[in-house]
Amino acid sequence: MTIHKKLTAATAASVLAMSSLFAAVPALAAPDAPGKAVSEKAQSNGKGHGQGKDHGWGKGGNPKNAKEVSLQILGTSDLHTNFVNYDYYQDKVSNSLGLAKTGVLIEQAREENSNTLLFDNGDLIQGTPFGGYKVSVDALEDDELHPAYAALESLDFDASTLGNHEFNFGLDYLDNALEEAPFPVLNANVYDAETGENRFTPYTIIDKKVVDGKGKEHTIQVGVIGVVAPQIMKWDRANLEGKVTTEDAVESVEKFLPEVEAAGADVVVVLSHSGMGDETHDVGEEDITYQLTEVEGVDAIITGHNHDVFPGSYSELANVDQEKGLINGTPVVMPGKFGSHLGVIDLTLEKKGKNWTVTDEQAELRAIDATTDEVAEEVVEAVKEAHEGTIEYVRSPVGETTAPINSYFSLVQDDPSIQIVNNAQSWYVEQQRTGTANADLPLLSAAAPFKAGGRNGGDYYTNIATGQIAIKNVADLYVFDNTVFALKLTGADLKEWLEMSAGQFLQVDPAATGEQQLINPDFRTYNFDVIDGVTYDIDVTQPAKYDADGNTVNETASRIQNLSYEGTAVADDQEFLVVTNNYRASGNFPGVRNATETIDYAYENRQVIQDYMEELGTIDPSADGNWSFAPITGDPSLVFETSAAAQSLIPADSGISYLEAAANGFAKYGITIE
């Protein structure tokens, strides 16, 4: 693969040096913000990008230079069916989320600049009980406009792209949802497995009428390309295998760029439902937005998938200008999650002959105002029926709990919120395997803390009060629309699976003085699988054997100690049947990838939990303590973060103590491991 890269810092410096020979020629870029190389093709098409001076924009979007046009590109990403300012898990209004809140910012931006385009970057139709409601309760009918697209239509979105979670409900459901979409929904790197043709529309050209600083009207053609992480083939293999294939996202953008330019695009925007990534590109990798900033001809990028923010994060990457929101000279926005931010990219364009040239660029994020109830009422109205139906649905009772259930300490001790999931999964598969060849195998169950803070903030935890359990609480325990799978594997594979999960912890030095963080912030909590049915200890004084991506980093490391089944050490060749979900079963986890048999039960994990609770009627939420930390000699000062709200819920005799408040709703806690 060849990426036509823009100027590196070194190249930019040499260009600047050459420019000193010509006093009348302005510098291409400041030293800390490399400009974009202007290829011969780009020059001929009028697509060169110089750093230029700060042109600025006045009220109404008029640039200071009357001959220029200020084009504003707005973007959202990872809405995950958060359209109304409402938390379905807590069953209450929440002004910290929702497209209705973002809509206020969109309306304000349009008042500032009428030359505006609005795009969504995917992960739209799944994520809360709202999405599940439109699948299983009030199922989407033929020719019905999906309320997710109705919400976007109410704000006059111009286009969107597919996120990985758009595929969670299968291709038939997605096709039905897209059929009535009132604007282009794009994807350039998913192909029909039989024909080899693009499965979806790869790009669109928008004829945008704009007004320059003199009030003169022009038409600018904006090309928009959409891509998704190719890993959908792993995450939704059961839905997609044999039906579609995927290609590398960067190569797909490069493939269609010439076609988009030939179609007359003056500006090219990429909607990248991919994480930011790093400076190194491996073909087919998940996170490639950084590489897209290096592709000549890409003028602006809206990204997401990481549920992070840019400008803001990713300062460790090369050629990042946080002040202007540029990476390798390209404006980029990653607008958080659930409608928390609006991405705003301002491009200044100047017409030279028949072509438009970008002369300045700026990207920023605008956070929603969580202190008021102000919303864009048109969004609320667009989804009113589905929203009210979802609330009624999630309030339906399924059982009782004799004690609170929360996930505040699920990363540092065996936890009831995970125990319930594992119990339910084992209960379900025990019934399903009766009379099969696997009926007599030792049955284990794997589950992880899905809501455990991390990048989602200090209020992102399961928290269910004593008393009635409703469907909303089940969704709070299990937030993903996964389906039940079982894997047959050996004791050796089981240990490697647990070694991977133990990457949740940083290595502890027993002899060190001063505080040591216990939790690895780069490890996703949904990868911390607790496997019930066996007992084991985790020795955090050992280095992790695998990194967060499952790559071996310490071949001889062994954090998992005393792995036993019914009191007897697990043998390497002993066979087990382990219940999990489609995401894990189709992934590349160590141990998991060696499974000799994969069984798809085609039944939702969340529904299994609901069925289990209805069967029991009343549950006693207590963990069985099947895992713990191996004792540590010495007296290291170990700390971790969880919600500030957890300080009154510290379990007795847990060795956990509250220390002090931290940022974003978190607090610092200490833990003694003896």
Side-chain angles (χ1 to χ4, degrees):
M1 180 192 71
T2 301
I3 296 179
H4 304 293
K5 293 192 175 183
K6 300 169 183 177
L7 284 177
T8 63
T11 306
S14 66
V15 172
L16 290 171
M18 288 291 290
S19 70
S20 66
L21 298 175
F22 307 94
V25 180
L28 285 180
D32 63 341
K36 304 178 184 180
V38 183
S39 66
E40 290 183 5
K41 179 176 180 179
Q43 287 174 331
S44 66
N45 288 337
K47 292 183 180 296
H49 300 266
Q51 181 70 18
K53 62 182 179 179
D54 182 7
H55 294 276
W57 296 273
K59 184 69 175 175
N62 293 325
K64 293 178 181 177
N65 186 332
K67 295 182 180 180
E68 294 175 333
V69 166
S70 169
L71 178 65
Q72 188 172 71
I73 297 166
L74 308 178
T76 58
S77 188
D78 297 276
L79 290 171
H80 286 286
T81 66
N82 288 284
F83 304 119
V84 181
N85 54 327
Y86 200 88
D87 185 332
Y88 296 108
Y89 303 112
Q90 298 298 318
D91 195 8
K92 63 181 183 181
V93 170
S94 173
N95 286 315
S96 64
L97 54 81
L99 180 64
K101 297 291 294 184
T102 328
V104 176
L105 300 177
I106 292 169
E107 291 167 355
Q108 292 171 352
R110 285 171 169 161
E111 289 176 1
E112 297 167 7
N113 187 344
S114 60
N115 302 331
T116 298
L117 289 168
L118 175 59
F119 303 116
D120 179 70
N121 192 51
D123 274 7
L124 179 71
I125 66 172
Q126 176 276 348
T128 72
F130 183 107
Y133 174 79
K134 286 305 298 179
V135 174
S136 59
V137 181
D138 180 26
L140 188 69
E141 298 179 1
D142 292 343
D143 301 326
E144 178 188 355
L145 176 61
H146 194 291
Y149 291 110
L152 268 57
E153 182 185 33
S154 74
L155 291 172
D156 294 324
F157 274 72
D158 293 286
S160 68
T161 193
L162 297 175
N164 55 291
H165 284 288
E166 260 67 72
F167 297 90
N168 287 171
F169 304 129
L171 287 171
D172 289 343
Y173 185 87
L174 179 56
D175 287 342
N176 190 20
L178 296 182
E179 186 174 353
E180 302 300 320
F183 45 76
V185 181
L186 310 172
N187 176 271
N189 67 319
V190 176
Y191 291 81
D192 186 280
E194 183 175 343
T195 67
E197 300 295 323
N198 281 95
R199 183 63 168 71
F200 306 97
T201 303
Y203 67 86
T204 190
I205 306 291
I206 298 173
D207 292 332
K208 178 62 179 176
K209 292 188 182 300
V210 296
V211 177
D212 65 19
K214 287 185 174 181
K216 184 178 179 181
E217 188 175 276
H218 306 270
T219 296
I220 294 177
Q221 291 187 301
V222 180
V224 189
I225 307 172
V227 289
V228 70
Q231 281 66 27
I232 60 171
M233 296 304 301
K234 293 194 303 182
W235 302 328
D236 275 300
R237 184 176 66 185
N239 291 329
L240 304 180
E241 191 171 44
K243 300 176 182 177
V244 297
T245 62
T246 58
E247 298 293 337
D248 180 79
V250 179
E251 292 180 342
S252 296
V253 170
E254 292 184 312
K255 171 184 175 180
F256 285 104
L257 261 175
E259 194 171 320
V260 171
E261 291 179 343
D266 301 297
V267 173
V268 176
V269 179
V270 176
L271 307 180
S272 170
H273 197 88
S274 158
M276 187 65 73
D278 55 26
E279 293 94 335
T280 303
H281 180 224
D282 297 317
V283 173
E285 70 177 319
E286 178 180 351
D287 299 327
I288 48 75
T289 294
Y290 186 90
Q291 275 68 48
L292 291 177
T293 67
E294 299 177 297
V295 176
E296 181 62 46
V298 173
D299 296 292
I301 300 171
I302 299 171
T303 188
H305 188 55
N306 288 155
H307 290 200
D308 209 337
V309 292
F310 185 84
S313 298
Y314 307 107
S315 291
E316 74 280 4
L317 296 173
N319 301 327
V320 171
D321 182 344
Q322 293 283 4
E323 183 177 352
K324 295 204 71 176
L326 309 180
I327 302 177
N328 293 310
T330 303
V332 179
V333 288
M334 181 184 284
K337 66 184 188 303
F338 310 161
S340 63
H341 295 77
L342 176 67
V344 181
I345 297 174
D346 287 302
L347 301 178
T348 302
L349 297 97
E350 183 177 352
K351 194 169 187 180
K352 297 182 178 179
K354 295 182 178 180
N355 301 311
W356 290 91
T357 300
V358 177
T359 59
D360 195 23
E361 48 231 333
Q362 173 81 43
E364 65 170 322
L365 293 184
R366 300 180 184 180
I368 61 176
D369 186 351
T371 66
T372 76
D373 292 325
E374 185 182 9
V375 295
E377 293 293 345
E378 60 265 43
V379 179
V380 177
E381 187 61 30
V383 300
K384 182 179 180 180
E385 182 179 346
H387 169 64
E388 292 177 350
T390 301
I391 292 176
E392 182 179 357
Y393 164 65
V394 301
R395 289 175 177 170
S396 303
V398 296
E400 299 275 338
T401 175
T402 61
I405 306 169
N406 62 73
S407 61
Y408 292 135
F409 301 105
S410 58
L411 298 182
V412 296
Q413 64 175 20
D414 197 20
D415 188 81
S417 68
I418 302 174
Q419 187 74 56
I420 292 170
V421 175
N422 272 329
N423 289 351
Q425 291 179 165
S426 295
W427 168 81
Y428 174 76
V429 173
E430 187 64 70
Q431 300 172 71
Q432 300 300 314
R433 71 172 183 160
T434 301
T436 71
N438 296 316
D440 296 327
L441 284 179
L443 182 63
L444 313 179
S445 182
F450 291 147
K451 294 186 69 176
R455 61 181 179 168
N456 290 316
D459 61 350
Y460 194 71
Y461 291 86
T462 296
N463 187 18
I464 303 170
T466 301
Q468 185 182 89
I469 298 178
I471 289 174
K472 63 185 178 183
N473 304 128
V474 177
D476 201 27
L477 277 169
Y478 207 104
V479 300
F480 295 112
D481 297 299
N482 292 336
T483 56
V484 180
F485 273 66
L487 304 174
K488 183 191 288 188
L489 40 73
T490 67
D493 296 329
L494 180 65
K495 183 176 185 299
E496 295 311 302
W497 186 342
L498 289 169
E499 289 287 355
M500 174 64 194
S501 297
Q504 181 67 74
F505 308 107
L506 297 170
Q507 186 177 8
V508 170
D509 181 355
T513 59
E515 290 184 347
Q516 298 183 65
Q517 290 287 341
L518 179 61
I519 305 299
N520 180 356
D522 296 326
F523 196 92
R524 300 290 172 83
T525 65
Y526 55 68
N527 284 333
F528 177 51
D529 283 343
V530 172
I531 301 184
D532 264 294
V534 290
T535 58
Y536 54 96
D537 299 327
I538 301 176
D539 185 355
V540 292
T541 66
Q542 288 277 322
K545 184 170 184 177
Y546 300 101
D547 66 14
D549 296 319
N551 302 309
T552 303
V553 290
N554 293 289
E555 180 67 42
T556 60
S558 181
R559 284 186 161 183
I560 303 303
Q561 306 289 325
N562 304 318
L563 179 59
S564 300
Y565 174 72
E566 295 186 343
T568 302
V570 170
D572 284 350
D573 60 353
Q574 187 174 0
E575 282 193 320
F576 294 90
L577 191 66
V578 187
V579 191
T580 182
N581 57 61
N582 61 299
Y583 177 85
R584 180 68 70 239
S586 59
N588 199 36
F589 242 48
V592 172
R593 56 197 178 208
N594 296 330
T596 57
E597 185 178 348
T598 300
I599 305 167
D600 177 7
Y601 291 101
Y603 199 69
E604 285 191 359
N605 297 71
R606 188 185 296 148
Q607 188 62 49
V608 165
I609 299 168
Q610 183 175 327
D611 294 346
Y612 175 71
M613 289 182 174
E614 290 175 341
E615 175 76 11
L616 292 184
T618 300
I619 61 171
D620 177 19
S622 58
D624 61 12
N626 73 297
W627 77 270
S628 60
F629 292 113
I632 299 177
T633 58
D635 189 25
S637 177
L638 305 182
V639 298
F640 68 97
E641 284 189 346
T642 187
S643 174
Q647 57 183 297
S648 63
L649 298 169
I650 297 174
D653 303 319
S654 63
I656 299 171
S657 58
Y658 174 82
L659 297 178
E660 61 184 10
N664 300 321
F666 289 102
K668 183 165 69 174
Y669 295 76
I671 182 170
T672 301
I673 300 175
E674 298 178 331

